[in-house]
Amino acid sequence: MNSQNHDATSPAKAPDLRLVAWEVTRSCNLACSHCRAEAHPEPYPGELDTAQARSLIDTFPQVGNPVVIFTGGEPLLRPDIFELISYADSQGLRCVMAPNGTLITPENAKEIKSSGIQRCSISIDGPTAQEHDLLRGVPGAFEQSMAGIEYLKSAGVEFQINTTVTKDNLDKFKDIFNLARDLGAVAWHIFMLVPTGRGADLRDQFISARQYEDVLNWFYDFRKTTDMHLKATCAPHYYRIMRQRAREENVDVTRENFGLDAMSRGCLGGIGFCFISHVGQVQPCGYLELDCGNIKTTPFPEIWQSSQHFNALRDISAYKGKCGKCEFHRVCGGCRARAYTMSGDYLAQEPLCSYEPVKS
C-alpha cells in the first residue's frame, strides 16, 4: 500500500458509490483527437484478467449499489466483455456500456442486450459525417456509428448520444440534438472538454469561461423545449446556473422540475463516482490521473473508503481559491480535472469559472 495515497483512518464514513466507470480495456479502433487515454488498437500490457475482473465486480456491492459503466478504449475489443457484464448483472448491478458504435453488429447487439446492458452511450460530435469523422480521426466512423445505433435499436437496446463541446461544434448543437432525437435516443449528454491526453493538443478548441457560462445557460433554456433527458457532464457550473436561473424564475429545484439534476452535484469524483483504469488504478475520474490505489494490491472497498485523495475531495475545507468559499460549492465543486491539468493542483479553484462567490 502506498502511504502517500492512503490514510488508514478515514475521517468519516465514506459516501456510497453511485457510479463507477470501468475502463475494461484501453485498446480502441479509433484515434479521436480529444481522447483522454490516447488509445491505440494494440493490446495494452497489464490489463486485468478475467479472474481479477470478476473479483473486482464482487466488491462493488460492498461500497454501495453503483451503476457500472463498461467503457474503454472500446469495450467491445475485450474478448470476455459479455462474460463480465453477465456476471455483474447477476450481482444485481445496473450495467451500461460506452462503445463508440463502429464495432456494433447485428450479432453482438443481441449479446449486448442478453448480457444485461441497460443502455449504451454513443458519442456523436457533429451532425454530419464530415464534422464527426474529423474529430474521430477515422473516415467512415460516423456512418459506422449510425449503423451500430440501428443494430442496437433492432436488438431493443436503449441508447443515448454524448457530445463533446468544442469551439467548432458550438453552433451545431441544435443540429446534433435534432439528429439524436430523430435517431430515437433517450438522452443527450454534452461533455465539456477536459484538456488531458490528446485533448491537451486541442487548445484552439477550448472554450472560454464566458463561453462556458453561455453554453450552460443555453442548455438550461433548451432543456425546456424537449421531453428528452438532457445532461451536462464535466460541467459542474451547470448545477450553480440551474439554481440561479430557477431562483430568478421562482421555480423550486425539485426532482419533479429538474429530474435527477436536482438530487446530484457537479463534480462527483471521489464523492459518488470513481474511475478504474485498464490496469486496476483507481482515480477520481478518467480525466484526473491521481493514483488513489490499485485493486491488484489493495481491495477496492479499502481504496474507496480510505484514499487520501478521495478524503480530500470530500472535505470542503481542503478546496482552495474561490471554490473553497463559494456558496455553491456543495452543488458544484468545480472540475477537479481541469484544475489539475491547468494549474497542477486538483484542489485549486476551477480555472474556467467566471462566477465570483458572494462569500468573502
Side-chain angles (χ1 to χ4, degrees):
M1 186 186 301
N2 186 333
S3 61
Q4 183 178 358
N5 294 330
H6 292 81
D7 182 353
T9 57
S10 177
K13 182 182 182 298
D16 284 350
L17 180 65
R18 296 164 48 187
L19 190 66
V20 57
W22 180 13
E23 182 187 56
V24 291
T25 181
R26 187 162 283 193
S27 298
C28 187
N29 60 312
L30 297 184
C32 303
S33 56
H34 56 302
C35 179
R36 57 153 187 88
E38 301 182 80
H40 53 66
E42 296 77 25
Y44 283 76
E47 294 194 341
L48 303 182
D49 62 27
T50 302
Q52 290 170 321
R54 287 171 67 99
S55 294
L56 173 61
I57 291 168
D58 286 336
T59 67
F60 289 153
Q62 299 174 28
V63 291
N65 184 31
V67 176
V68 182
I69 307 170
F70 289 84
T71 186
E74 169 49 60
L76 289 175
L77 287 176
R78 180 163 176 131
D80 61 355
I81 184 63
F82 296 118
E83 176 185 343
L84 299 182
I85 294 167
S86 295
Y87 187 67
D89 180 66
S90 73
Q91 305 299 307
L93 296 164
R94 176 176 168 85
C95 301
V96 298
M97 180 190 274
N100 60 46
T102 64
L103 299 183
I104 298 174
T105 65
E107 294 73 28
N108 65 23
K110 293 175 184 176
E111 287 191 273
I112 289 171
K113 177 69 173 179
S114 63
S115 65
I117 289 296
Q118 301 295 307
R119 181 186 293 186
C120 282
S121 61
I122 307 293
S123 293
I124 301 294
D125 297 316
T128 68
Q130 180 180 1
E131 292 157 322
H132 176 81
D133 290 356
L134 183 64
L135 202 59
R136 294 287 150 180
V138 175
F142 182 83
E143 294 302 330
Q144 291 169 6
S145 291
M146 291 297 107
I149 286 171
E150 293 303 320
Y151 298 142
L152 290 176
K153 289 162 66 175
S154 295
V157 180
E158 186 176 278
F159 72 95
Q160 69 183 51
I161 298 297
N162 294 349
T163 300
T164 298
V165 179
T166 65
K167 280 186 178 178
D168 279 354
N169 68 10
L170 274 176
D171 62 344
K172 308 289 194 318
F173 267 27
K174 189 73 181 292
D175 294 332
I176 298 171
F177 166 78
N178 288 338
L179 173 63
R181 180 198 60 202
D182 293 346
L183 287 169
V186 296
W188 181 44
H189 291 199
I190 64 169
F191 284 69
M192 309 307 280
L193 183 65
V194 179
T196 60
R198 291 193 194 109
D201 297 328
L202 293 180
R203 297 204 172 273
D204 62 328
Q205 291 298 314
F206 295 174
I207 63 174
S208 66
R210 182 68 259 171
Q211 288 173 311
Y212 206 126
E213 200 84 357
D214 291 344
V215 168
L216 296 180
N217 272 284
W218 172 86
F219 195 73
Y220 176 89
D221 289 323
F222 187 69
R223 50 167 279 283
K224 303 173 188 175
T225 69
T226 178
D227 291 332
M228 187 191 296
H229 177 244
L230 306 185
K231 181 175 175 58
T233 302
C234 298
H237 318 12
Y238 179 71
Y239 293 83
R240 162 181 55 83
I241 290 169
M242 179 180 73
R243 285 165 173 80
Q244 290 175 305
R245 295 290 305 277
R247 185 187 305 152
E248 293 169 3
E249 298 170 358
N250 199 29
V251 175
D252 292 332
V253 178
T254 62
R255 185 164 184 171
E256 290 70 29
N257 293 331
F258 291 94
L260 291 176
D261 282 346
M263 317 296 292
S264 187
R265 80 191 294 273
C267 183
L268 285 169
I271 298 169
F273 170 83
C274 74
F275 174 90
I276 302 174
S277 81
H278 62 304
V279 295
Q281 178 172 301
V282 181
Q283 305 170 190
C285 78
Y287 300 108
L288 182 50
E289 291 195 26
L290 292 177
D291 184 358
C292 298
N294 194 294
I295 63 99
K296 291 179 180 177
T297 55
T298 306
F300 175 66
E302 183 178 337
I303 296 171
W304 177 251
Q305 293 159 3
S306 303
S307 160
Q308 179 181 323
H309 293 314
F310 285 169
N311 284 328
L313 290 166
R314 297 164 186 165
D315 179 6
I316 292 178
S317 67
Y319 288 71
K320 303 171 185 176
K322 63 184 181 182
C323 281
K325 60 186 179 182
C326 183
E327 67 273 22
F328 290 101
H329 178 94
R330 289 188 182 276
V331 297
C332 173
C335 176
R336 297 300 98 214
R338 265 192 297 273
Y340 186 65
T341 57
M342 298 176 77
S343 73
D345 183 352
Y346 70 94
L347 294 170
Q349 70 182 35
E350 156 74 63
L352 291 183
C353 177
S354 58
Y355 179 73
E356 288 300 327
V358 172
K359 293 181 182 179
S360 59

